Amino acid sequence: MSFRLTLLNLFYRYVERPLLARATDFGRVGARLDKQAARLHEPAGTHANPVRIPYEDGWIDARWISTGRASRSRVILFFHGGAYLFGSSTSHRPLAAAMADRTRARVLIPDYRLAPNHRFPAAIEDAVSCYRHLLNIGHAPEDIALMGDSAGGGMVMALLHLCGTTDLPYPACAVAFSPWVDMTLSGASHGRNAQREVLLPARRIPEARDQYLGSAPTDDPRASPVFGTFDGAPPVLIQASRAEILEDDARAMAATLSRQGVDVQLDFWEKTPHCWQHLQGRLPEADDALDKAGAFVRRHLGIDPLETDRQAR
């Protein structure tokens, strides 16, 4: 464990987790995350272009993120985390830029509708609209990777489930960082890691779940993709920490995929906080995780390291 990770864990445990434990205004939590993002590392030459994506009742605001000479055809559809209550394309811009830099793909981050004003299934409906939009403007499914963190990782898995049960084609691959995939909260790590978890207050998780789901069933695979169908799904990479309360979500999701014949890679880190990948550029463990995720995406989008290096120059 690096010295920087030790300091980060202390900061999260004694500053961030208490703030989340007593937060009542999730709009303010989201605004704080947006401000914090401005202090995170962002690759040189990062470009962010706003776009509006149509859906049946209006528009979804989103951003295209790219660095350097990005591929015009290869794209990553990235869903931000935030318990379905906060988070934005602003808070996740540095992470998206880091992935764009590692893959030379363009990254699309939608500002999907958030609870409690927009309860389930609003978020996953927006995810489907964004994926259909990419297909409708000419991107082949084999040129699209799905990616997300925390609740966004759950949306990635839920969208894969819908690809397996509707007319949607599967993308090339999917990556999930510390995904929240089981709204029944049945994972033993919710209790086992409650004290080890330095960021998420375990007692607030049922509240966040209820704010999002309302009266919807907790085992609906569009919200709990651990109960989903994934026959024929593409390769999946899941990264999580052994010290977080969602450890068993990652483990159960990988088991579900594996049972259905999906090529799934489950990587655990020791003593890292929930979604530590955000600290890329400052935390060695975050850079290591994103390097592995970038290599995974490049391989399945057909962007080899030599091509990446040529484009970077």
Side-chain angles (χ1 to χ4, degrees):
M1 183 170 70
S2 69
F3 180 65
R4 288 186 177 185
L5 178 56
T6 300
L7 294 178
L8 175 69
N9 282 339
L10 288 171
F11 175 74
Y12 275 0
R13 180 178 295 278
Y14 294 110
V15 178
E16 291 296 329
R17 191 174 71 169
L19 285 173
L20 289 175
R22 59 177 182 264
T24 57
D25 185 339
F26 295 112
R28 291 184 64 181
V29 173
R32 186 168 184 269
L33 287 180
D34 288 350
K35 289 181 180 179
Q36 288 176 332
R39 297 194 292 270
L40 296 176
H41 173 75
E42 192 169 275
T46 295
H47 301 281
N49 297 309
V51 64
R52 305 187 83 188
I53 297 169
Y55 76 106
E56 61 181 34
D57 292 326
W59 302 89
I60 303 166
D61 290 323
R63 293 186 189 185
W64 279 110
I65 308 294
S66 61
T67 63
R69 294 176 56 193
S71 168
R72 299 298 298 177
S73 60
R74 277 74 167 254
V75 299
I76 298 171
L77 177 55
F78 192 108
F79 300 115
H80 68 76
Y84 299 100
L85 297 169
F86 50 86
S88 70
S89 60
T90 299
S91 65
H92 284 60
R93 170 175 160 159
L95 179 57
M99 287 309 306
D101 192 53
R102 284 167 166 81
T103 60
R104 296 300 164 194
R106 294 190 299 155
V107 182
L108 179 65
I109 318 177
D111 285 310
Y112 58 87
R113 289 171 291 169
L114 297 173
N117 292 334
H118 303 283
R119 297 184 186 270
F120 173 83
I124 190 60
E125 289 176 346
D126 288 356
V128 170
S129 294
C130 292
Y131 188 50
R132 286 195 185 277
H133 173 73
L134 291 177
L135 298 172
N136 290 340
I137 63 175
H139 290 287
E142 59 268 24
D143 289 334
I144 302 173
L146 303 182
M147 185 175 292
D149 69 309
S150 194
M155 290 174 65
V156 164
M157 295 297 116
L159 183 52
L160 277 188
H161 159 75
L162 290 174
C163 288
T165 56
T166 67
D167 63 331
L168 286 171
Y170 279 121
C173 64
V175 177
F177 304 136
S178 300
W180 188 18
V181 295
D182 183 3
M183 292 289 175
T184 70
L185 309 183
S186 59
S189 57
H190 281 274
R192 183 179 68 248
N193 289 345
Q195 296 305 313
R196 298 183 68 200
E197 168 74 64
V198 298
L199 181 60
L200 301 181
R203 67 177 179 82
R204 299 295 302 270
I205 303 303
E207 176 189 352
R209 184 267 313 273
D210 294 344
Q211 288 270 12
Y212 175 53
L213 280 185
S215 60
T218 58
D219 62 352
D220 188 316
R222 296 172 299 166
S224 293
V226 72
F227 303 111
T229 299
F230 300 95
D231 293 337
V236 174
L237 170 65
I238 299 173
Q239 295 180 347
S241 171
R242 295 190 190 277
E244 64 174 313
I245 58 177
L246 295 184
E247 176 191 1
D248 285 350
D249 277 52
R251 199 184 308 278
M253 190 71 248
T256 294
L257 293 167
S258 182
R259 281 196 303 271
Q260 298 185 37
V262 179
D263 178 7
V264 56
Q265 178 180 336
L266 174 62
D267 291 344
F268 279 114
W269 265 255
E270 302 290 339
K271 300 182 180 179
T272 50
H274 178 68
C275 294
W276 72 97
Q277 294 89 347
H278 281 274
L279 275 294
Q280 48 76 33
R282 296 187 178 182
L283 190 68
E285 291 84 353
D287 288 329
D288 183 33
L290 292 192
D291 287 347
K292 289 179 170 62
F296 179 87
V297 170
R298 282 201 313 269
R299 182 164 68 253
H300 293 292
L301 289 185
I303 307 173
D304 61 40
L306 292 178
E307 180 182 349
T308 301
D309 290 343
R310 285 196 301 270
Q311 289 181 348
R313 290 195 295 269

